Amino acid sequence: MKTIKPREELREYVRYYWMLESDEPFSVLTFPIGCPQLIFHRKTPLYIPELTAYQDHFTISGQVNFPAHLQSDGHLEMIVAVFYPHTISLFIDTPPSEFYNLEISGYDIENKQLNEIASIIFDCESTDIGIRTLEEWLMTKIKRSLDIQRIGLSLDSLLINPSTTITTLADKACLCKKQYERVFREYVGMNPKEYARIVRFQKALWMLQCGNRNYADISAAIGYSDQSHLIREFKSMTCHTPKSLLNICQPYSDLFTNPV
């Protein structure tokens, strides 16, 4: 897999791009990462057994709170744009709440410009040219949004301290709690309390990734009520306890790791 840093003008909206080509079949367990994605399959799309469906050649992946397997038949070439939790609506003109816990076809939102860009990406000579094509289009969609800035500031606080209260986050955004919850859901795609669960889970993954195996310490550091709470959340997000997860894969937190 190859990861690419966005051009400077896009870095406050797009976290990174990644490209993957594979001639070998594989199956990988994935977890909620807290970031929506645009996915372009230039060859055979991935199959998701939990949904008993293939991804579309052009897929929008929303905020999810459950684990899933991704399976490839070995005929894979894909381009993925990973956005910050609150920025994808700026580019697709569709509230992320409409694809909460879903992977939908990008054609379903009936965005003519985006559909045309997808077609160009599929016809490009290489994935590198596909990324450049996507970036040129993303650049045309940038516009300042006070609400995006407000939610971004509150998310920064949540990432620093996953146990931050919703009231404190609303204060950071200069909104009342009710307004904040509405705007947060509009831009992130789920309510703040539920998203905070994903942040805590991803922070726990990051601590495991860094070598910490003291589950009581991890629980206390990120706001779980106790070690049993940590284990329940891991079962919900991965179908494994922290210990059993370590037996099948190396922990990796996408939300707390900068791959580029």
Side-chain angles (χ1 to χ4, degrees):
M1 186 173 75
K2 178 182 179 182
T3 57
I4 297 175
K5 182 185 294 186
R7 65 174 66 181
E8 187 172 354
E9 299 91 333
L10 288 167
R11 288 177 193 167
E12 63 181 288
Y13 308 104
V14 181
R15 290 187 62 205
Y16 61 92
Y17 311 101
W18 59 270
M19 304 179 296
L20 179 62
E21 298 182 40
S22 176
D23 297 323
E24 297 293 330
F26 66 80
S27 176
V28 61
L29 178 62
T30 63
F31 320 125
I33 69 170
C35 295
Q37 303 166 79
L38 294 182
I39 302 168
F40 303 89
H41 286 289
R42 286 160 52 87
K43 294 183 179 177
T44 306
L46 295 168
Y47 181 70
I48 306 172
E50 287 81 1
L51 302 178
T52 61
Y54 284 90
Q55 291 181 333
D56 195 85
H57 277 278
F58 171 31
T59 290
I60 300 175
S61 181
Q63 297 283 6
V64 300
N65 59 13
F66 60 87
H69 289 81
L70 297 178
Q71 297 179 352
S72 170
D73 64 3
H75 188 244
L76 183 70
E77 184 179 325
M78 59 191 298
I79 295 171
V80 180
V82 181
F83 293 83
Y84 285 97
H86 60 302
T87 58
I88 193 171
S89 64
L90 180 65
F91 301 99
I92 64 174
D93 304 320
T94 300
S97 56
E98 292 193 12
F99 42 93
Y100 165 65
N101 267 351
L102 296 172
E103 293 204 333
I104 67 170
S105 168
Y107 300 111
D108 287 347
I109 65 172
E110 298 182 351
N111 184 316
K112 183 177 179 181
Q113 283 188 339
L114 190 52
N115 292 348
E116 290 173 352
I117 291 301
S119 296
I120 294 171
I121 288 172
F122 296 142
D123 291 337
C124 285
E125 292 182 6
S126 69
T127 51
D128 288 317
I129 296 174
I131 290 287
R132 291 199 294 272
T133 299
L134 178 59
E135 283 215 305
E136 290 296 333
W137 180 78
L138 291 173
M139 287 288 296
T140 69
K141 301 290 289 181
I142 293 177
K143 58 180 182 289
R144 290 290 173 183
S145 165
L146 180 59
D147 282 339
I148 283 180
Q149 291 176 326
R150 284 171 165 169
I151 297 302
L153 286 172
S154 70
L155 284 168
D156 289 342
S157 297
L158 185 62
L159 292 174
I160 292 170
N161 179 8
S163 60
T164 304
T165 66
I166 306 304
T167 299
T168 300
L169 294 175
D171 289 342
K172 289 285 184 181
C174 299
L175 295 168
C176 73
K177 185 171 181 286
K178 186 174 181 179
Q179 284 179 311
Y180 177 74
E181 290 175 332
R182 176 184 60 78
V183 175
F184 189 98
R185 180 170 176 79
E186 179 181 351
Y187 284 95
V188 178
M190 57 172 55
N191 65 54
K193 184 176 180 180
E194 185 176 16
Y195 190 77
R197 286 184 60 213
I198 293 174
V199 173
R200 284 194 296 271
F201 162 70
Q202 282 284 328
K203 188 66 175 283
L205 268 183
W206 180 77
M207 293 181 74
L208 291 174
Q209 179 182 332
C210 293
N212 192 329
R213 299 294 184 265
N214 186 325
Y215 303 139
D217 177 56
I218 293 173
S219 301
I222 57 181
Y224 287 123
S225 55
D226 53 32
Q227 190 170 327
S228 295
H229 188 190
L230 167 71
I231 292 171
R232 288 196 304 272
E233 288 293 271
F234 260 71
K235 286 183 176 179
S236 173
M237 300 283 183
T238 73
C239 294
H240 291 273
T241 66
K243 185 176 181 180
S244 64
L245 183 67
L246 291 170
N247 292 330
I248 65 168
C249 68
Q250 292 294 320
Y252 178 82
S253 169
D254 186 282
L255 191 60
F256 286 91
T257 304
N258 182 358
V260 290

